[in-house]
Amino acid sequence: MRGNRRLTFLGPGSPLSFPDPNESDDEGLLAVGGDLSPARLLVAYESGVFPWYSAGVPPLWWSPNPRALMDRERLHVSRSLRRTLRSGSFTVTFDRVFTQTISGCAANREGGTWILPEMMLADTQLHQLGHAHSFEVWHEGELAGGLYGVRRDALFAAESMFHVVTDASKVALAVALDTLFRAGFQVFDVQFVTEHLASLGAYEVSRQEYLAQVQDAVSTEVTPASIAAALEGWAARF
């Protein structure tokens, strides 16, 4: 671990840039303050940085070491989940109800949520600009779960997922991974490996490797239309 570096404080009108994450310690807190404007958020994600927002404090900007990724090849689909995916009991859509999906993620988190109104507004603005997307899972005509994240070219930074029907969030994750990599994505970022994500195939890479992958990904164009096309026929692929 490197020694702690001095934090950068971002005041009103600060330049849209962040310190080099490689110069930070493993904890990875780079900067404090600034705003959640679409422009600043997009620069953050393409720089390998993400915001963590809490009530009553300025935005905190992080790039820890290591970072957590998932990909289609390492995705662990259990026999029971595979049966669920093939059963026809769920349908999956793309960008149909982004606002409902992010609201579901905010409302279904144990111990509170970082998806506060300011963060919801910021990510909704990114969605309106075509840089944030949702995968929605439906059961008997009702929204059963989903996943949303931020897209920067061929990078997808998964932010959160939720379910109100058993296995709906797992379906969202499996279908999103399959669809995005078929559409040409190179990086599916989940920030940290949790026990749950590890059981589904999440793995760690060094921050240096992560940043290199991000730079390649943000130089590769992928459009929302290609994602929608890649979603078609997803059930037959499991």
Side-chain angles (χ1 to χ4, degrees):
M1 178 184 293
R2 303 181 186 211
N4 291 330
R5 55 161 291 147
R6 297 181 64 181
L7 286 179
T8 296
F9 290 90
L10 304 175
S14 295
L16 298 178
S17 62
F18 294 91
D20 182 355
N22 284 314
E23 296 180 2
S24 178
D25 60 19
D26 288 349
E27 184 179 54
L29 179 58
L30 300 177
V32 177
D35 54 62
L36 298 174
S37 67
R40 189 177 300 279
L41 286 169
L42 291 176
V43 169
Y45 284 104
E46 69 183 24
S47 302
V49 177
F50 62 86
W52 196 265
Y53 195 74
S54 299
V57 299
L60 304 177
W61 303 91
W62 300 82
S63 185
N65 181 43
R67 293 293 289 267
L69 302 176
M70 296 188 74
D71 58 44
R72 188 173 53 183
E73 288 69 29
R74 302 192 202 195
L75 174 66
H76 175 65
V77 180
S78 66
R79 290 182 180 179
S80 61
L81 179 56
R82 194 176 301 277
R83 284 195 298 269
T84 298
L85 287 160
R86 294 175 173 175
S87 68
S89 58
F90 291 110
T91 57
V92 181
T93 57
F94 172 69
D95 275 355
R96 181 177 294 180
V97 288
F98 181 88
T99 300
Q100 286 179 249
T101 302
I102 192 173
S103 296
C105 291
N108 289 276
R109 297 186 68 86
E110 295 182 4
T113 181
W114 58 270
I115 311 174
L116 298 172
E118 297 87 347
M119 199 73 242
M120 291 179 66
L121 175 61
D123 284 336
T124 299
Q125 290 175 330
L126 285 178
H127 172 67
Q128 293 168 343
L129 294 170
H131 295 293
H133 304 288
S134 58
F135 287 85
E136 306 96 7
V137 180
W138 305 84
H139 177 69
E140 297 181 351
E142 300 291 333
L143 186 63
L147 172 154
Y148 87 95
V150 175
R151 175 182 62 87
R152 200 66 177 121
D153 298 308
L155 160 71
F156 188 81
E159 294 295 325
S160 187
M161 57 186 180
F162 82 101
H163 71 275
V164 293
V165 176
T166 300
D167 285 340
S169 60
K170 293 180 181 179
V171 169
L173 180 61
V175 174
L177 272 168
D178 178 76
T179 298
L180 291 171
F181 280 94
R182 285 181 179 275
F185 278 73
Q186 298 176 6
V187 175
F188 190 98
D189 174 17
V190 293
Q191 299 177 355
F192 303 101
V193 174
T194 64
E195 183 178 352
H196 176 62
L197 289 175
S199 72
L200 295 168
Y203 62 96
E204 292 182 336
V205 297
S206 70
R207 179 169 54 203
Q208 184 176 21
E209 180 178 347
Y210 171 80
L211 294 172
Q213 290 190 36
V214 166
Q215 288 309 301
D216 287 340
V218 299
S219 301
T220 303
E221 183 179 5
V222 180
T223 66
S226 67
I227 302 171
L231 177 62
E232 295 182 8
W234 63 265
R237 297 196 289 267
F238 292 96

